[in-house]
Amino acid sequence: MDTKLPWPFYTEPKWIDVHGLKTAYRREGAGEPVLYLHGNGMTRRWLPFYEELSRSVDLIVPDHPGFGDTEMPEWLDNFSDVVLHYAELLDTLGLEKVHVIGHSFGGWIAAEFASFYPERLKSLQLLTPAGLKGANLHDSFRQSGEEALERIFNGGADKYAEYTDDGDPTESLISNYKQQTTVARLAWQPRHNIKLPRRLGRVTAPTQVILPDEDRILNADVMRKYAEYIPGATLASISNPDAPTSHVPFVQAPKALAEMLSGFVAAASKD
Amino acid sequence: MNELEFYVCNGGKYPFAPRRDQMDKTRFITTPTTWYDDLRGQRLVEDYVENVVFAEKLGFDGCVILEQHGGPTALVGQANIMAATILAKTQRMRVGAVGAIMNSYASPQRYAEEIATLDIVSRGRYFFGLPMGIGPNYHTLGMNPTHAREKLREGHDFLVKAFTSDEPFAFDGKFFQTEYVNLWPKPLTKPYPECWIPAAGSKDSLSFAAKNGYTYVAVLVPWPILMKNCETFRNEVAAAGQQMDPRRIVATAHVHVAETDAQARLESEAHLMSLIQNNLGSPFHDSFPPGHVTSESLRGMMAGGYRSKDIGQTTFEEAQASGQIIVGSPSTVAERIEEITTKLGAGRLLVTGDSWTMPHWMARKNMTIFAEEVMPRFRSRTGKPIWDQDAPRAAALTNSEYGARVQPPKAIPSARIANVGNVDIRTAHVPELRKVVD
């Protein structure tokens, strides 16, 4: 590993002006355009999982407004602001339709986006998605760093030091606080969208909901409801016998997950 | 000695819950009421009210009630309701509620009505506050911490306009919208009662307090930062083209005074340590919910400033050194108050009379000695509080006036104790003062 990196997997972001908001993003690969919406954490880097996925698709990974290198704009108040930001980002990139993958908090954003702009999705994949009532197993705003790591990695965080290394402790605290602030801006209360179940009926793209072996952040029974609310959606699980997958399955099973996601993208692109 | 006004601010905290180290995270947010006892709760609330009312007889200039919610720290935490209760039981002392957390109101109109009404029923004795609310309040009151400052400022604009406008108006803000704001009744005090701002010390908050002519309550942060904050506040007052009045800076301390330094520590130490360990300490995520503090403040904390360690770990000596607690004989306490108010440039002192958890009688003992033997030293008007401007008279109206005017006794009250001799009966309960007199 390059020791000069501020933290493992860091890469310099690209920048795009989205309706006045300087937005950081990373983009690699060729083929079907895939918009990947990250969860709350592990921003500002190009994960090995992204590298795997970008071998078969044109992978676009932006930092959400208020996450990573993208500043929180003063106009950001609720999910509709984020949804419009992503519509404008696609407009700016000249992409009419894309495949969307969303992980955790990014899964919630993806679900909102799909319910507002069903016609702009070629496919939708929700990976351990947040957003539904009753999904939170804990209060994410009241957990220590150690508690969070235990829950994210199912007690195995020490095995994944590359993923938990955030560089300078002060700057890491500030960056994480900023991201938590964005989550709180959008989802302090309520911590779900009560309208989402009905609105998800508008989604027309092929959809799959992917759950890990064991999720200690979000309730699997609640996450499964996404597949009930979205017409024709299917459920899939990403398993890894050697190291059972957790809320961040791309850490334990980057290759298998990338294959599963790109397989779904490929199948949806044939239609 | 500095000329000071004295305000009492008791805690009235419910102590019959496990220590913080025996509980999950903090006492503030999720302590279940299985620990609550109806009779003990009633007693505590009544004792609290009685002792704050008693402050008038003692000659305090006023009292302050702080707002708290959602835990054993919150038994007397409904500031305006407690203010109304205490106003009804007192005649002349000032009563401040510092104060309701305006961000928790659906409309500032409600707060404006409460302020105006309390101003009238108190005949101008009431004053209010605009605290942002500490972190745990945002966990328990459904307020979004990421909008805390912005919303408080907007609510303030609403309040001021409601107080000062003689025509109904539409308020159309980001957080508050009301088509017809029409405040009835109007405050008796013009343009509206005094406002106290407890602020951790961002320049923004201090500048806001200064520009609006408000009073800064120097609280929440340790001593070196407070001195800097007071300096910033004075500069902001000057920048606003105002004449600085030292009463616009309120120094705060948990004060316990007794016959000797050792006796004062013996009486108060466990209560003060419980205050620090059980009632102040909270983990980071409870004290600082997302967006409650700025990145700049966080960077300062991480650099070893404010809250670089859990304040629940503070020792008695550290709390003394920081001025957070003042414990000792009347002379020791008076000297420390003189030092602190001089360094801060404060014209008012807000003292805790009960170290938050003391029994009724012990709090009274502290408050009485404080009123008789400490307060008069800072009052040129023969110990009289600001609300007693009456002409000289034979009777002492308050304990503070008594303390200022009373002459040495004509005889030392004494009694003979077997194997000791004749002792001064006023102090013989303190071992080091159990000395033989004639």
Side-chain angles (χ1 to χ4, degrees), chain B residues 24-179:
Chain B
D24 181 39
K25 301 192 184 280
T26 173
R27 274 196 180 186
F28 279 95
I29 298 170
T30 46
T31 304
T33 46
T34 46
W35 297 107
Y36 182 75
D37 178 288
D38 289 335
L39 284 184
R40 288 182 190 280
Q42 181 196 344
R43 171 91 196 265
L44 195 148
V45 171
E46 290 179 1
D47 284 356
Y48 171 87
V49 170
E50 268 185 31
N51 277 354
V52 175
V53 168
F54 181 56
E56 184 174 62
K57 166 71 173 68
L58 292 175
F60 279 85
D61 297 291
C63 68
V64 164
I65 301 123
L66 300 180
E67 182 102 347
Q68 275 311 326
H69 297 275
T73 59
L75 258 62
V76 294
Q78 298 293 328
N80 271 343
I81 289 175
M82 295 315 285
T85 304
I86 287 157
L87 282 167
K89 291 171 183 277
T90 52
Q91 282 74 48
R92 305 178 77 172
M93 178 174 80
R94 301 189 77 208
V95 176
V98 182
I101 298 169
M102 193 166 51
N103 282 349
S104 70
Y105 283 71
S107 167
Q109 168 78 10
R110 290 297 303 262
Y111 195 26
E113 288 169 359
E114 289 173 15
I115 292 165
T117 307
L118 287 168
D119 184 41
I120 293 167
V121 298
S122 70
R123 295 177 170 171
R125 290 192 287 137
Y126 168 81
F127 56 100
F128 74 107
L130 286 174
M132 194 168 86
I134 59 170
N137 298 149
Y138 282 79
H139 283 284
T140 60
L141 288 176
M143 308 177 289
N144 190 319
T146 74
H147 287 130
R149 260 177 206 79
E150 203 185 345
K151 190 174 175 184
L152 183 63
R153 294 296 152 79
E154 185 180 303
H156 170 259
D157 293 344
F158 187 125
L159 271 189
V160 171
K161 202 163 177 200
F163 287 141
T164 55
S165 174
D166 285 328
E167 294 288 335
F169 63 92
F171 191 88
D172 201 4
K174 177 173 175 180
F175 303 101
F176 301 112
Q177 304 86 25
T178 304
E179 201 53 34

Side-chain angles (χ1 to χ4, degrees), chain B residues 73-367:
Chain B
T73 59
L75 258 62
V76 294
Q78 298 293 328
N80 271 343
I81 289 175
M82 295 315 285
T85 304
I86 287 157
L87 282 167
K89 291 171 183 277
T90 52
Q91 282 74 48
R92 305 178 77 172
M93 178 174 80
R94 301 189 77 208
V95 176
V98 182
I101 298 169
M102 193 166 51
N103 282 349
S104 70
Y105 283 71
S107 167
Q109 168 78 10
R110 290 297 303 262
Y111 195 26
E113 288 169 359
E114 289 173 15
I115 292 165
T117 307
L118 287 168
D119 184 41
I120 293 167
V121 298
S122 70
R123 295 177 170 171
R125 290 192 287 137
Y126 168 81
F127 56 100
F128 74 107
L130 286 174
M132 194 168 86
I134 59 170
N137 298 149
Y138 282 79
H139 283 284
T140 60
L141 288 176
M143 308 177 289
N144 190 319
T146 74
H147 287 130
R149 260 177 206 79
E150 203 185 345
K151 190 174 175 184
L152 183 63
R153 294 296 152 79
E154 185 180 303
H156 170 259
D157 293 344
F158 187 125
L159 271 189
V160 171
K161 202 163 177 200
F163 287 141
T164 55
S165 174
D166 285 328
E167 294 288 335
F169 63 92
F171 191 88
D172 201 4
K174 177 173 175 180
F175 303 101
F176 301 112
Q177 304 86 25
T178 304
E179 201 53 34
Y180 303 101
V181 182
N182 194 13
L183 181 67
W184 285 74
K186 280 286 186 257
L188 193 63
T189 306
K190 302 298 174 200
Y192 51 91
E194 187 186 354
C195 177
W196 287 24
I197 307 280
S202 71
K203 185 160 185 292
D204 183 48
S205 304
L206 294 169
S207 170
F208 167 80
K211 280 191 191 121
N212 287 286
Y214 299 156
T215 297
Y216 165 54
V217 187
V219 71
L220 299 169
V221 289
W223 182 229
I225 303 177
L226 283 183
M227 284 195 283
K228 204 168 124 250
N229 290 353
C230 291
E231 191 57 42
T232 306
F233 181 71
R234 272 189 294 276
N235 292 341
E236 292 294 320
V237 167
Q242 303 163 6
Q243 194 68 31
M244 180 63 196
D245 179 337
R247 290 176 302 176
R248 287 182 64 190
I249 294 179
V250 183
T252 64
H254 304 292
V255 175
H256 191 80
V257 59
E259 293 83 352
T260 64
D261 289 352
Q263 183 68 21
R265 181 162 180 167
L266 194 63
E267 288 176 3
S268 64
E269 185 169 7
H271 292 281
L272 291 168
M273 294 321 289
S274 171
L275 183 162
I276 290 167
Q277 293 163 5
N278 296 318
N279 291 314
L280 292 184
S282 292
F284 180 90
H285 50 72
D286 287 348
S287 294
F288 307 109
H292 192 259
V293 290
T294 61
S295 300
E296 294 69 46
S297 304
L298 271 187
R299 203 168 266 124
M301 286 181 216
M302 288 294 279
Y306 169 47
R307 284 283 181 105
S308 55
K309 72 169 188 178
D310 187 329
I311 52 175
Q313 305 294 320
T314 309
T315 65
F316 187 86
E317 284 72 19
E318 286 169 342
Q320 267 192 315
S322 74
Q324 188 183 1
I325 65 175
I326 302 176
V327 174
S329 69
S331 293
T332 301
V333 166
E335 280 164 28
R336 188 72 169 131
I337 289 173
E338 175 73 2
E339 183 193 352
I340 285 175
T341 53
T342 302
K343 282 187 177 158
L344 297 183
R348 285 167 168 162
L349 182 69
L350 184 60
V351 301
T352 311
D354 64 352
S355 297
W356 285 12
T357 48
M358 274 179 181
H360 181 255
W361 59 268
M362 195 189 271
R364 284 198 166 212
K365 179 188 177 213
N366 172 42
M367 290 165 69

Side-chain angles (χ1 to χ4, degrees), chain A residues 142 147 171 177 181 184-185 188, chain B residues 25 143 146 286 289 291 299:
Chain A
R142 288 195 70 212
E147 287 169 322
E171 294 311 310
Y177 192 73
T181 299
R185 175 62 58 88
W188 178 258
Chain B
K25 301 192 184 280
M143 308 177 289
T146 74
D286 287 348
R299 203 168 266 124

